[in-house]
Amino acid sequence: MRRILRRHPIPHHVWQSVTRRLLVLRGLDAVQLAHLRELTTWFLYKKAINGAQGMEVTLAMRVAVAAQACLLILNLDIDCFDNWVEVILYPGAFRVNHEQVDAIGLVHNDQIDLTGESWLRGPVVLSWDDVERDAYQSRPGHNVVLHEFAHKLDGLSGVTNGMPPLRRGMSRKRWAEDFNGAYDELCLQAASGRPTCINPYAATSPAEFFAVTSEYFFTAPEMLKSCYPGVHRQLTLFYQQAALR
Ligand SMILES: [Zn+2]
């Protein structure tokens, strides 16, 4: 790590100009920012961030993605981001084929537009338009970078199901109780057509619920705490960032 930091530093003016504007980093103190800079340096050395559709990826863009991704692992082991090597940036939302099986077993192929996608053991794919909007405009509960990299943490167990490997001392039973209760409540709200407490996309699956509540944990923690205090408590233990919020 020390060798990487010495040989591949992020130029000070780039780090300053990018991180000063990233809303999600506002709560960090100088020591935490210094640690985040080390993790970001490591991330940029280890991971390729490539543009798709001819998009040119600047160092500032790479720092913006990496710094937000590394906020998730600020107090975790850096090997949480092992097992994959690439981030792909599209200029805007990108179209993918989506296969879905309906209630009677028929397979439907649709094309859908996505702002981000995270492959188990594969790349993270992001729409730069959306990365930029979430990074620099205040949109409580919305941050596509945090969302997709939270899926990476979830997938560390080998399956993306909303139950990432927990920290030492955490209880899987308590996690399941807090998350399942909140997820069921949200699904009921969404199904009844009532306004939902958080982004209803979280009701898609337990994996999406974990990724969306992670977005809230970092961008709108008070909102998460008032809707689902148990989930907020579990994420505080998981990310080990209680002091920041
Ligand atoms: Zn997702």
Side-chain angles (χ1 to χ4, degrees):
M1 177 62 126
R2 262 199 292 276
R3 189 177 54 82
I4 294 170
L5 295 177
R6 203 174 51 242
R7 290 193 187 171
H8 305 277
I10 300 168
H12 190 67
H13 68 279
V14 175
W15 174 256
Q16 284 294 330
S17 69
V18 173
T19 55
R20 214 176 29 221
R21 296 171 56 222
L22 287 175
L23 296 174
V24 77
L25 306 185
R26 273 180 312 191
L28 301 185
D29 64 24
V31 173
Q32 291 160 332
L33 272 172
H35 183 45
L36 186 73
R37 185 172 176 173
E38 291 177 350
L39 291 173
T40 305
T41 306
W42 167 87
F43 186 107
L44 293 179
Y45 176 75
K46 288 282 188 182
K47 315 290 183 192
I49 304 183
N50 297 317
Q53 295 177 341
M55 183 175 194
E56 193 190 331
V57 180
T58 65
L59 178 59
M61 291 161 74
R62 298 170 70 226
V63 171
V65 169
Q68 293 182 86
C70 289
L71 177 64
L72 292 170
I73 60 162
L74 189 64
N75 293 331
L76 310 184
D77 293 333
I78 50 175
D79 55 13
C80 287
F81 277 167
D82 276 354
N83 301 331
W84 55 275
V85 292
E86 191 183 15
V87 180
I88 299 168
L89 288 185
Y90 278 82
F94 48 95
R95 185 153 287 194
V96 296
N97 286 319
H98 182 66
E99 194 178 278
Q100 212 166 17
V101 183
D102 70 14
I104 58 166
L106 286 176
V107 177
H108 298 265
N109 277 302
D110 297 319
Q111 290 207 316
I112 53 171
D113 290 331
L114 295 181
T115 58
E117 194 175 33
S118 178
W119 292 63
L120 190 66
R121 297 188 199 86
V124 169
V125 190
L126 296 164
S127 146
W128 175 250
D129 266 357
D130 292 86
V131 171
E132 210 172 19
R133 189 190 53 195
D134 293 348
Y136 302 125
Q137 294 174 19
S138 181
R139 303 182 72 235
H142 293 271
N143 185 299
V144 67
V145 176
L146 296 177
H147 181 106
E148 299 307 333
F149 286 94
H151 281 315
K152 281 290 177 210
L153 299 179
D154 188 5
L156 278 173
S157 58
V159 53
T160 312
N161 61 1
M163 169 71 87
L166 302 182
R167 313 261 75 80
R168 192 192 300 268
M170 290 183 72
S171 155
R172 286 174 66 88
K173 185 168 169 285
R174 290 300 303 274
W175 176 283
E177 281 167 5
D178 285 331
F179 268 81
N180 293 347
Y183 177 68
D184 291 346
E185 195 181 312
L186 180 71
C187 289
L188 277 175
Q189 267 179 356
S192 70
R194 281 178 288 150
T196 50
C197 201
I198 62 169
N199 181 356
Y201 184 69
T204 309
S205 67
E208 294 306 335
F209 188 82
F210 169 69
V212 171
T213 51
S214 291
E215 290 179 81
Y216 278 82
F217 182 76
F218 288 97
T219 64
E222 290 306 321
M223 211 183 283
L224 179 64
K225 199 172 180 177
S226 71
C227 293
Y228 304 121
V231 170
H232 181 272
R233 187 170 54 241
Q234 293 299 331
L235 291 180
T236 302
L237 293 170
F238 179 72
Y239 288 114
Q240 300 182 11
Q241 296 199 27
L244 301 185
R245 311 291 145 193

